[in-house]
Amino acid sequence: MGGHARQEMNNPPRLRQDAYLHIDAALLVIDKPAGLLSVPGRGLDKADCLAARAQAEFPDALIVHRLDMDTSGLLLMARGLDAQRRMSRAFAERRVEKRYVALVAGRMPPPRAEWGTVDLPLVCDWPNRPLQKVDAESGKPSVTRWRVLDYDAEREATRVELMPVTGRSHQLRVHMRELGHPMLGDPLYAPPAVRARASRLLLHASVLRFSHPEQGRAMVFESAPPF
């Protein structure tokens, strides 16, 4: 078993070619499938990940940001240290716009303005890690903008668009749960009945908007959610 795991780590499966939405000398934009880690986890059994699969074809590809294993959608990788530094700085300075689509339980009333805002500080729930929790005293500032797209009466679920202002772990999932509308299929934060309503977490990174690190031109990528 150990030898098999080592072989998989040295020869990771390849990403489907249509997963690459953009390839140039500085960047890769990849449509990540749900259920695949962004970066390696602890242990040989968690070596397979999007980063390893991309690096098998593009050895200079470096991670810039991550998506949860259960989340699908757009993920950007930089090619080379200079592009990685530039894009990491763009993320840190909030010059990269990320949008997500999720299906949440129940009918979610739209905000009074076009976009509502959730401003609840988050911290790791250490005894129950990797869970995160709201903590007004020791939590890090965590802000999410959200709006209602439509209501699916048949599924008794609301389709929402989410725009994280900050990038805390599990931020979108916790913030929707705190509003009383956990995401369908969420194995960590949804009650069992809501978790059972989908075979996967219904959260998808649908839009990335940023400036190219070398050419400076505006780049916009979109990926329709598969749910």
Side-chain angles (χ1 to χ4, degrees):
M1 182 175 179
H4 180 66
R6 280 191 293 272
Q7 184 178 6
E8 286 190 349
M9 182 173 62
N10 293 331
N11 300 287
R14 296 297 179 99
L15 289 168
R16 290 174 41 164
Q17 285 305 303
D18 60 4
Y20 292 98
L21 303 188
H22 178 80
I23 300 170
D24 68 27
L27 298 174
L28 302 173
V29 177
I30 302 169
D31 207 342
K32 186 185 89 67
L36 179 65
L37 290 165
S38 293
V39 297
R42 292 184 177 180
L44 290 174
D45 60 325
K46 294 180 177 62
D48 182 28
C49 62
L50 181 137
R53 294 186 184 191
Q55 287 161 356
E57 296 188 63
F58 302 93
D60 60 350
L62 299 170
I63 204 78
V64 176
H65 67 119
R66 305 177 186 185
L67 296 176
D68 292 343
M69 181 179 74
D70 299 320
T71 304
S72 58
L74 298 173
L75 187 140
L76 180 150
M77 294 187 75
R79 298 187 66 185
L81 288 172
D82 183 62
Q84 185 192 41
R85 280 191 293 266
R86 294 188 189 194
M87 290 312 304
S88 294
R89 190 179 307 119
F91 273 91
E93 295 174 355
R94 300 176 185 173
R95 290 185 281 113
V96 178
E97 181 182 313
K98 298 175 289 181
R99 297 194 184 197
Y100 295 73
V101 173
L103 268 184
V104 301
R107 181 185 288 274
M108 194 171 186
R112 293 180 180 178
E114 182 184 3
W115 290 86
T117 300
V118 186
D119 186 355
L120 294 171
L122 300 178
V123 68
C124 180
D125 185 0
W126 195 249
N128 301 302
R129 58 189 183 277
L131 294 182
Q132 308 293 309
K133 64 179 181 179
V134 174
D135 190 319
E137 293 185 359
S138 59
K140 295 180 179 179
S142 306
V143 180
T144 300
R145 300 183 68 205
W146 64 276
R147 66 175 179 170
V148 169
L149 297 177
D150 56 56
Y151 177 67
D152 187 333
E154 184 176 341
R155 301 181 76 169
E156 297 181 350
T158 303
R159 185 176 297 266
V160 293
E161 185 173 30
L162 305 169
M163 187 158 52
V165 178
T166 55
R168 310 299 176 202
S169 181
H170 300 173
Q171 174 180 314
L172 303 179
R173 299 158 74 171
V174 177
H175 279 174
M176 289 299 100
R177 193 272 310 273
E178 290 298 310
L179 290 184
H181 298 275
M183 295 180 187
L184 271 57
D186 191 337
L188 296 180
Y189 299 100
V194 175
R195 186 184 313 160
R197 288 168 59 184
S199 60
R200 52 154 292 196
L201 169 69
L202 298 190
L203 176 63
H204 183 79
S206 57
V207 176
L208 269 180
R209 182 177 282 109
F210 57 91
S211 296
H212 193 279
E214 293 180 349
Q215 301 152 7
R217 72 179 189 273
M219 310 283 286
V220 182
F221 297 94
E222 298 184 2
S223 171
F227 50 81

